[in-house]
Amino acid sequence: MTDWASYWRAPDCPLEAMHAHFERHVYHRHSHETYSFGVTESGAQAFTCRGAARTSAAGMVMAFNPDEPHDGQAALPAGFTYRIVHIGPELIADVLRDTADRPVGLPLFAEPVLEDATLAGALCRLHATLGESRLAQDEALHDTVRALVRRGSTRPAHARYLPVEVRRARELLDASYAEDLRAEDLADAVGCSRFALHRAFVAAYGLAPSDYQRQLRLRAARRLLIDGRTPADAAASAGFADQSHLTRWFKRYYGLTPGQFLDS
């Protein structure tokens, strides 16, 4: 079996999903703006998250919080097949608020790998409803989110204290991600050495500033593609050298090309 992937994206809410089999593909270290929940159908996927090596084998569930860095690759020569659903924090909040009939805090998933047949089944059922009637999709989404929070989350997420230099560097990257910034530019802007900033940034976000900048560019390119821009236009506007540069990194981060993403 060779590598393959199919992608689905809701047209009017932050809900996306992928079904894929990978033997050779290696995910570059990245994170998502969403909560991401995957279930391994066969084989095993190896990845690092929260400073430790992890493995998700058949029947196990992966749970990633928003902006939680991780990578991934096959743990066995035969590769792995999995389904993953990306759910925007605002959609999670809507479900939990509806369930509790009041605003509640967003959940935090402390364990990236869960051995829970109930959660695995709920995720598979949700994935199966995508593309069907909106009523069935909404019901499956609510059931799955409630099950995930009840069985997998540990406590509400809280804001972390971050050094002011790190916050300023992130703000600069957020505002100027398409610009060709140098390490010296960042260090001068926040008032510390390049080494100190790099070390503190990695400690705070789990990504080097260059990886964080590239991720911002990829997220911008995704938004532009959704808005109808061509891959070439999206690449230029987001700060990539050209369309092939965008395609190469898009595949390493998301497991599919911009063309496959547009076809979803």
Side-chain angles (χ1 to χ4, degrees):
M1 185 180 294
T2 58
D3 289 6
W4 54 264
S6 60
Y7 207 81
W8 179 90
R9 184 177 69 252
D12 56 357
C13 68
L15 180 64
E16 301 182 8
M18 184 169 72
H19 186 203
H21 174 85
F22 293 130
E23 297 175 12
R24 299 182 302 275
H25 178 66
V26 176
Y27 280 111
H28 189 82
R29 190 164 184 79
H30 67 288
S31 66
H32 302 275
E33 297 174 282
T34 61
Y35 285 91
S36 299
F37 304 106
V39 57
T40 304
E41 293 184 322
S42 64
Q45 178 178 180
F47 63 96
T48 58
C49 184
R50 297 197 176 194
R54 319 278 182 173
T55 301
S56 176
M60 294 182 178
V61 170
M62 293 171 288
F64 300 116
N65 300 296
D67 294 316
E68 186 163 69
H70 56 280
D71 49 26
Q73 61 185 10
L76 302 169
F80 64 98
T81 304
Y82 80 130
R83 298 177 183 269
I84 190 162
V85 179
H86 305 288
I87 308 173
E90 59 270 45
L91 203 51
I92 297 282
D94 285 345
V95 172
L96 298 181
R97 180 171 55 248
D98 184 60
T99 300
D101 201 26
R102 60 180 174 81
V104 296
L106 287 169
L108 175 67
F109 293 84
E111 293 299 326
V113 179
L114 304 167
E115 293 190 63
D116 192 312
T118 298
L119 292 185
L123 284 167
C124 288
R125 286 191 294 274
L126 171 59
H127 206 285
T129 66
L130 302 180
E132 295 187 2
S133 72
R134 288 299 302 269
L135 182 59
Q137 178 183 304
D138 289 346
E139 289 172 351
L141 175 64
H142 279 65
D143 289 345
T144 302
V145 169
R146 287 195 295 266
L148 284 163
V149 171
R150 184 173 63 251
R151 301 175 70 93
S153 67
T154 56
R155 59 188 183 278
H158 298 287
R160 297 175 298 161
Y161 170 78
L162 297 172
V164 64
E165 294 84 1
V166 170
R167 287 188 282 109
R168 287 176 179 170
R170 178 169 179 168
E171 290 168 358
L172 178 57
L173 288 169
D174 288 344
S176 308
Y177 60 82
E179 296 182 16
D180 191 18
L181 298 170
R182 301 175 301 168
E184 184 177 350
D185 296 330
L186 284 179
D188 288 347
V190 304
C192 67
S193 72
R194 288 174 292 180
F195 175 75
L197 176 59
H198 185 276
R199 182 175 58 186
F201 199 96
V202 172
Y205 300 119
L207 298 171
S210 60
D211 279 331
Y212 181 76
Q213 180 192 52
R214 186 186 303 110
Q215 183 164 272
L216 291 174
R217 291 176 173 180
L218 286 166
R219 290 177 178 179
R222 281 169 58 101
R223 293 191 295 269
L224 291 168
L225 291 170
I226 291 171
D227 288 342
R229 301 280 288 276
T230 66
D233 286 343
S237 298
F240 290 93
D242 51 32
Q243 182 177 337
S244 63
H245 188 209
L246 168 63
T247 298
R248 183 166 66 252
W249 282 107
F250 203 98
K251 181 70 179 291
R252 292 184 67 182
Y253 273 61
Y254 302 125
L256 68 165
T257 66
Q260 290 173 304
F261 178 74
L262 284 173
D263 289 340
S264 61

